[in-house]
Amino acid sequence: KAGVTQTPRYLIKTRGQQVTLSCSPISGHRSVSWYQQTPGQGLQFLFEYFSETQRNKGNFPGRFSGRQFSNSRSEMNVSTLELGDSALYLCASSEPPIGAGGYTFGSGTRLTVV
Amino acid sequence: TQLLEQSPQFLSIQEGENLTVYCNSSSVFSSLQWYRQEPGEGPVLLVTVVTGGEVKKLKRLTFQFGDARKDSSLHITAAQPGDTGLYLCAGYNFNKFYFGSGTKLNVKP
């Protein structure tokens, strides 16, 4: 079956702009989680969606938001971009019960803010 | 606060050597996963361990979950250049995953 698909793979944005990233989970997976990965901070949890509802949220400012659609596809949005938002953004899906089998990650979206 | 501490942070070895990576916590986890990540890609799940004391083998990789479910280790026998990558452990509790900071392994031919 197809893996987790993230688009776009690479993105360059200017400070102050906003960006939307997309994630299509593995068919049948209802949970989608988003992570930010940077060399200094490692993998930082952003949020998790399950059946269109945000179930968990990490410690990120309100500029970071997300949503999940009825087909389990998810988007995350970052508004008023800052240089420090440059990172690899990873989407991960899992099948219920959540956590038992671990995540399947996408290849990520590399965001560069200039 | 990192709930999971991995050691060492960096490891550079010659092909054919053995190595062990550690993942430690003061918290008890209901399950623990190990992932490997290559540059520019997302982490790939290697194994999930659930029972305290559990040992799983994946070819030359041996994973162990501590008896108290607070720690884990990954042992690689006769490392190969293809084992190069970032190794991440992740503990699962109360609907959340907690990732370690990772061990960057470089295996030189």
Side-chain angles (χ1 to χ4, degrees), chain B residues 4-108:
Chain B
L4 283 165
E5 297 290 335
Q6 283 188 243
S7 62
Q9 281 188 292
F10 301 96
L11 200 49
S12 184
I13 61 173
Q14 292 293 138
E15 182 176 1
E17 291 184 16
N18 301 333
L19 66 117
T20 302
V21 176
Y22 299 93
C23 175
N24 295 301
S25 175
S26 57
S27 302
V28 176
F29 293 101
S30 55
S31 70
L32 190 137
Q33 288 86 32
W34 284 92
Y35 296 82
R36 180 171 68 214
Q37 183 178 21
E38 298 185 15
E41 297 295 326
V44 175
L45 179 66
L46 296 173
V47 76
T48 297
V49 285
V50 178
T51 307
E54 184 176 1
V55 176
K56 280 192 174 179
K57 292 193 175 184
L58 186 66
K59 297 183 181 177
R60 295 175 294 100
L61 278 60
T62 302
F63 305 86
Q64 184 160 9
F65 202 12
D67 291 340
R69 292 185 289 132
K70 292 183 179 182
D71 55 84
S72 181
S73 64
L74 157 60
H75 182 80
I76 301 179
T77 304
Q80 298 177 1
D83 296 327
T84 293
L86 177 68
Y87 288 80
L88 295 159
C89 65
Y92 180 77
N93 255 344
F94 308 115
N95 293 328
K96 282 188 178 180
F97 283 99
Y98 299 89
F99 278 85
S101 53
T103 293
K104 192 169 280 190
L105 172 65
N106 180 37
V107 182
K108 295 175 283 188

Side-chain angles (χ1 to χ4, degrees), chain A residues 4-26:
Chain A
V4 177
T5 303
Q6 288 189 248
T7 56
R9 283 297 307 270
Y10 303 94
L11 209 46
I12 300 176
K13 289 287 188 179
T14 305
R15 264 184 310 174
Q17 286 187 314
Q18 76 165 22
V19 67
T20 299
L21 312 182
S22 179
C23 172
S24 293
I26 288 176

Side-chain angles (χ1 to χ4, degrees), chain A residues 23-102:
Chain A
C23 172
S24 293
I26 288 176
S27 178
H29 285 195
R30 287 183 289 154
S31 169
V32 175
S33 299
W34 289 89
Y35 286 83
Q36 180 195 67
Q37 187 176 33
T38 58
Q41 297 296 317
L43 272 164
Q44 300 290 310
F45 174 72
L46 281 156
F47 25 66
E48 180 209 351
Y49 286 88
F50 178 72
S51 293
E52 301 180 66
T53 301
Q54 186 180 85
R55 208 164 73 136
N56 281 307
K57 190 177 189 304
N59 297 323
F60 278 81
R63 300 186 296 108
F64 292 81
S65 63
R67 58 178 175 168
Q68 187 180 34
F69 302 95
S70 58
N71 61 358
S72 294
R73 191 176 72 83
S74 177
E75 288 181 348
M76 68 163 279
N77 184 76
V78 188
S79 62
T80 321
L81 284 165
E82 301 176 359
L83 295 178
D85 297 333
S86 294
L88 180 67
Y89 289 88
L90 291 163
C91 167
S93 75
S94 59
E95 58 184 336
I98 295 169

